[in-house]
Amino acid sequence: MSHATPGTPDRVHLDNGGRAPWHPLARQAFEQALGDGWADPRRLHAEGRRAARLLDGAREAVAAVLGARTQEVHFTPSHTASLHTAVASGAAGRRRAGTAIVTSAVERSALLQAAAHANSPVPVDRLGRVDADAMISAVRAPGVALAALQHANGEVGTVQPVEAVHDAARAAGVPLLVDAGASVGHVAVPGAWDLLAADPADWGGPAGVGVLAVRQRVRTAPVGPEDEDPWAPGGVSVPLAFAAAVALQAVEADRAAQETRRRQLVERLRAEVSRIPDVEVVGDPDGRLPHVATFSFLYVDGEALVTELDRHGFAVGSGSACTSSTLEPSHVLAAMGVLTHGNVRIALDRTTTADEVDRFCAVLPGAVARVREMLGVGGL
């Protein structure tokens, strides 16, 4: 197979988690908002009021999907900013109750880093699901300011027991922060949250803007520089926020059909990959996101495999050690106790076709064999 140059039609992009292609309606909305929403929405003149109307409409649209009030929805500079702000302001609002923050061991690195006063993270099983009893026990302990649990893991797809944890947290008076960055736009997200962070770039909206919803009953305290918008000091881009909201409305319109279609593709992918020798297909096979698949190969270097697949026109992600962005293995895979090297992570876009998945399944075994040969373990 000839090499496929990035950006050419024969390329297949299967690394859509956290940065999916823009939905076509998001592009249209962005261009419209460049003309109508370029001004500062905090200004009182006509241009500012026009921008404010677009921003308010965007918040209303996102609130409808999240099951929140419009005034509970805030736009931030990014998903990472949402997580950091939620942890800091949520913990600061409950400083009299204590300083401990309860998290699972498989939360995003950004959240774990923000939770500077976190207790030891609650462990997960080999499927990546948090020990619900242990999480509930930790939430009920004295001195807990905040708890954080993702709705589903964007790396392995496993859905977490947020409803049970939220019930226990509410009974204990502890707010629960739910990271729904890998879920919103792909599956229905339950209303079992007190603070919720969502990522427009994951559902086909733009990067450079995040969503943070905070229930009115939650006590928070401003953190960071003084500003009239404590959630996004300096304000956010109205065109980006508007495009994010339009993209969310668009993907929600056919979410159920897309969920069914992509779940079938992922099941086919997991079944085909499991035929390759010395592979571990990770994550819950049933209670999972519909578009994410992760598998690790013994005797394979993750970076080499990603490069080999890229050479054949397939862009994939990896949670392996020694990738270009980190020298550490995925903390998620490590917490699960599964194979951490030779990892390939797939996130299907709404535009990914069955033919593209079949082509990937046809190329993958040979790519794995070639990497093993390069490492001198081809005969194993």
Side-chain angles (χ1 to χ4, degrees):
M1 184 179 184
S2 60
H3 297 189
T5 303
T8 57
D10 52 349
R11 293 279 302 177
V12 178
H13 194 83
L14 300 175
D15 186 21
N16 299 290
R19 193 61 67 90
W22 281 39
H23 192 285
L25 293 181
R27 290 178 176 271
Q28 295 178 22
F30 181 72
E31 291 173 0
Q32 174 194 336
L34 284 177
D36 296 337
W38 56 267
D40 187 341
R42 297 175 292 185
R43 304 296 188 188
L44 298 179
H45 46 59
E47 292 81 2
R49 294 196 303 273
R50 194 156 54 237
R53 284 194 295 271
L54 284 179
L55 190 58
D56 288 343
R59 293 172 64 205
E60 183 178 0
V62 172
V65 173
L66 298 182
R69 297 183 175 94
T70 300
Q71 59 267 35
E72 293 175 330
V73 172
H74 312 278
F75 289 104
T76 70
S78 68
H79 188 56
T80 296
S82 294
L83 295 174
H84 276 260
T85 303
V87 169
S89 62
R94 288 197 18 102
R95 62 170 63 92
R96 290 183 180 179
T99 59
I101 300 173
V102 175
T103 71
S104 81
V106 292
E107 300 301 315
R108 294 176 196 260
S109 296
L111 191 146
L112 293 176
Q113 291 164 5
H117 300 291
N119 293 352
S120 297
V122 178
V124 298
D125 61 20
R126 286 186 67 85
L127 297 179
R129 181 167 290 104
V130 71
D131 184 330
D133 291 338
M135 186 94 182
I136 289 170
S137 178
V139 166
R140 289 172 174 167
V144 174
L146 181 73
L149 179 63
Q150 61 197 200
H151 175 241
N153 188 271
E155 192 167 325
V156 302
T158 300
V159 174
Q160 303 291 355
V162 292
E163 293 95 335
V165 173
H166 184 249
D167 287 345
R170 286 205 72 178
V174 175
L176 178 66
L177 164 61
V178 172
D179 177 1
S183 303
V184 174
H186 304 289
V187 293
V189 177
W193 52 269
D194 299 300
L195 304 96
L196 180 141
D199 186 6
D202 194 81
W203 68 60
V209 63
V211 169
L212 177 59
V214 183
R215 300 288 193 197
Q216 287 182 307
R217 62 176 178 263
V218 176
R219 182 188 296 273
T220 60
V223 293
E226 247 185 67
D227 193 88
E228 59 186 277
D229 183 356
W231 306 105
V236 295
S237 164
V238 173
L240 290 180
F242 187 66
V246 169
L248 183 57
Q249 285 184 315
V251 299
E252 277 293 304
D254 65 345
R255 176 177 53 75
Q258 278 286 338
E259 180 178 346
T260 299
R261 186 187 74 85
R262 289 193 288 178
R263 195 175 295 279
Q264 292 170 347
L265 292 180
V266 164
E267 287 174 356
R268 184 190 312 179
L269 178 61
R270 285 169 61 94
E272 289 298 318
V273 170
S274 67
R275 301 174 189 272
I276 302 174
D278 297 309
V279 64
E280 185 169 15
V281 182
V282 300
D284 192 305
D286 301 312
R288 59 180 299 102
L289 292 172
H291 63 299
V292 174
T294 305
F295 30 90
S296 300
F297 298 95
L298 199 60
Y299 316 121
V300 168
D301 174 77
E303 184 176 11
L305 183 55
V306 169
T307 301
E308 179 69 13
L309 289 168
D310 188 57
R311 201 168 64 84
H312 288 277
F314 297 93
V316 301
S318 176
S320 294
C322 304
T323 62
S324 58
S325 59
T326 178
L327 295 178
E328 297 295 327
S330 159
H331 74 280
V332 171
L333 299 179
M336 293 168 63
V338 299
L339 191 62
T340 59
H341 59 270
N343 177 258
V344 170
R345 184 171 65 246
I346 302 296
L348 305 184
D349 181 55
R350 56 190 292 107
T351 61
T352 305
T353 66
D355 177 67
E356 289 171 335
V357 170
D358 289 342
R359 285 164 51 199
F360 175 77
C361 290
V363 166
L364 183 62
V368 171
R370 278 187 292 276
V371 172
R372 285 173 172 165
E373 288 173 4
M374 286 189 291
L375 296 175
V377 292
L380 294 178

